């Protein structure tokens, strides 16, 4: 949702969109965000390994741990901006769960027999199958021997790669081998498997999932790490309930420029601009002109 936030001394701030809440209802208007935030294109790697019939858009197929996703993540770590790091880690993790899909409308995403009421954007035709833990599903677009997908295998591989990046960020003198050894010493793969089991059997809601992962990281129990939907925005933006005009409805609070909500929104814009600049050759090669209108 776009928020037009007024400053009391004049001027305004307009945030950018980085996600669609429900992948089964993807927005054609917003589809330009998907290759930058959720379906990072593999580029050359995609062209070399992809077996999908994508034509000129083959370079946009998402490949796990691809160089473009690594580039976004490394730049975020170099910036030291924790908000950007969070956004880039999300995109990096998605290269595992969203592999073999393209982040905009393309016939290569199509699942034969699915209702055409859903546009072929990302994995919309496969609903939430790629994102569920303990889920084994069939991607009928792939070769038969590769069509049975085990999500847990993908997620655990993603988790190990993310740990290595985070460990090296916190321990600059370390290397990948040292980080991987630490991952093994902490027995994190088994702990993650246990947490995935718990979050699956306790229920699909966020509370069960959070409770399961707190067993691994006790610090998540601290108040400062408690998450409540919209809290950041409420702390940063004042909403005039009786105001009907959207351009006069939201106003910046005194701490707006120092708020988590504002800093996150700025990080979204920085990530978008950096990714768009780096991926522009791919857009041009596929004869696509991305438009990021805020209207």
């Amino acid at each position: 949702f776009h928020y037009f936030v007024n400053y009391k001394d004049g001027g305004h701030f307009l945030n950018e969109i980085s996600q669609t809440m429900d992948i089964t209802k993807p927005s054609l208007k917003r589809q330009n965000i998907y290759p930058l935030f959720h379906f990072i294109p593999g580029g050359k790697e995609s062209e070399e390994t992809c077996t999908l019939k994508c034509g000129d858009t083959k370079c946009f197929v998402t490949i796990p741990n691809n160089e473009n996703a690594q580039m976004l993540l490394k730049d975020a770590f170099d910036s030291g901006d924790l908000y950007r790091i969070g956004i880039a880690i999300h995109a990096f993790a998605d290269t595992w769960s969203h592999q073999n899909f393209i982040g905009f409308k393309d016939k290569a995403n199509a699942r034969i027999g699915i209702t055409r009421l859903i546009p072929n954007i990302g994995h919309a035709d496969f609903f939430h199958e790629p994102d569920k833990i303990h889920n084994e599903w069939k991607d009928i677009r792939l070769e038969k021997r590769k069509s049975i997908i085990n999500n847990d295998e993908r997620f655990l591989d993603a988790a190990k790669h993310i740990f290595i990046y985070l460990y090296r960020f916190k321990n600059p003198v370390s290397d990948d081998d040292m980080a991987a050894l630490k991952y093994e010493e902490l027995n994190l793969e088994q702990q993650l498997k246990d947490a995935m089991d718990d979050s699956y059997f306790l229920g699909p809601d966020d509370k069960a999932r959070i409770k399961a992962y707190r067993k691994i990281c006790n610090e998540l129990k601290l108040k400062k790490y408690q998450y409540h939907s919209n809290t950041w925005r409420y702390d940063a933006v004042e909403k005039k309930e009786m105001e009907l005009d959207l351009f006069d409805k939201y106003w910046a609070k005194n701490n707006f420029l120092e708020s988590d909500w504002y800093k996150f929104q700025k990080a979204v814009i920085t990530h978008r601009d950096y990714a768009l600049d780096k991926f522009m050759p791919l857009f041009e090669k596929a004869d696509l002109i991305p438009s990021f209108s805020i209207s």
Side-chain angles (χ1 to χ4, degrees), residues 248-264:
D248 287 328
K249 199 174 189 70
Y250 299 99
W251 291 79
K253 291 185 176 179
N254 291 334
N255 68 329
F256 181 74
L257 296 181
E258 298 302 318
S259 68
D260 289 313
W261 188 85
Y262 174 76
K263 290 179 180 178
F264 173 77

Side-chain angles (χ1 to χ4, degrees), residues 61-284:
V61 175
T62 305
I63 301 293
N65 193 29
N66 69 64
E67 291 181 358
N68 285 326
Q70 291 180 38
M71 175 179 60
L72 297 179
L73 190 55
K74 289 175 181 177
D75 192 72
F77 276 118
D78 288 344
S79 75
D81 184 335
L82 293 180
Y83 304 92
R84 275 194 70 191
I85 291 172
I87 293 167
I89 286 177
H90 178 117
F92 185 65
D94 274 351
T95 65
W96 274 269
S97 55
H98 295 169
Q99 61 186 273
N100 299 316
F101 290 100
I102 295 175
F104 48 78
K105 188 177 181 180
D106 194 283
K107 63 182 180 180
N109 295 320
R111 177 180 180 179
I112 299 173
I114 202 68
T115 174
R116 293 276 65 80
L117 294 176
I118 301 176
N120 304 130
I121 301 175
H123 61 74
D125 275 8
F126 291 81
F127 301 101
H128 295 287
E129 296 294 335
D131 295 321
K132 298 176 182 176
I133 65 166
H134 284 338
N135 190 37
E136 192 170 272
W137 56 287
K138 188 172 185 179
D139 189 341
I140 60 176
R141 304 168 307 135
L142 305 180
E143 300 173 18
K144 186 175 182 179
R145 64 186 179 87
K146 298 180 179 179
S147 63
I148 304 302
I149 310 300
N150 184 307
N151 282 354
D152 286 3
E153 292 178 357
R154 290 180 168 184
F155 298 164
L156 290 170
D157 190 42
K160 183 174 182 178
H161 280 81
I162 291 170
F163 175 87
I164 289 172
Y165 270 102
L166 289 170
Y167 185 83
R168 293 195 61 184
F169 178 65
K170 293 288 289 182
N171 302 274
V173 297
S174 64
D175 57 22
D176 285 358
D177 290 339
M178 295 169 64
L181 179 61
K182 190 64 176 180
Y183 184 84
E184 300 300 329
E185 289 177 354
L186 293 172
N187 196 28
L188 274 177
E189 181 167 308
Q190 187 58 53
Q191 291 191 67
L192 286 169
K193 287 180 179 178
D194 292 342
M196 292 161 75
D197 287 341
D198 288 348
S199 61
Y200 179 80
F201 291 113
L202 291 175
D205 63 351
D206 286 343
K207 289 183 179 180
R209 177 176 54 82
I210 293 171
K211 183 178 180 180
Y213 287 100
R214 280 178 181 164
K215 292 181 181 179
I216 300 176
C217 183
N218 288 325
E219 287 187 3
L220 292 176
K221 299 177 183 179
L222 298 177
K223 185 177 180 180
K224 65 179 180 179
Y225 295 124
Q226 302 304 301
Y227 172 76
H228 300 284
S229 180
N230 294 323
T231 294
W232 278 8
R233 180 168 56 83
Y234 292 154
D235 288 344
V237 178
E238 178 184 0
K239 180 181 179 181
K240 297 186 179 300
E241 297 289 349
M242 303 303 294
E243 179 60 62
L244 298 179
D245 188 342
L246 285 177
F247 291 101
D248 287 328
K249 199 174 189 70
Y250 299 99
W251 291 79
K253 291 185 176 179
N254 291 334
N255 68 329
F256 181 74
L257 296 181
E258 298 302 318
S259 68
D260 289 313
W261 188 85
Y262 174 76
K263 290 179 180 178
F264 173 77
Q265 300 298 339
K266 292 290 288 185
V268 166
I269 294 171
T270 302
H271 174 100
R272 179 204 65 184
D273 291 347
Y274 180 78
L276 181 59
D277 177 65
K278 294 300 181 181
F279 300 164
M280 187 57 70
L282 299 182
F283 282 103
E284 292 174 345

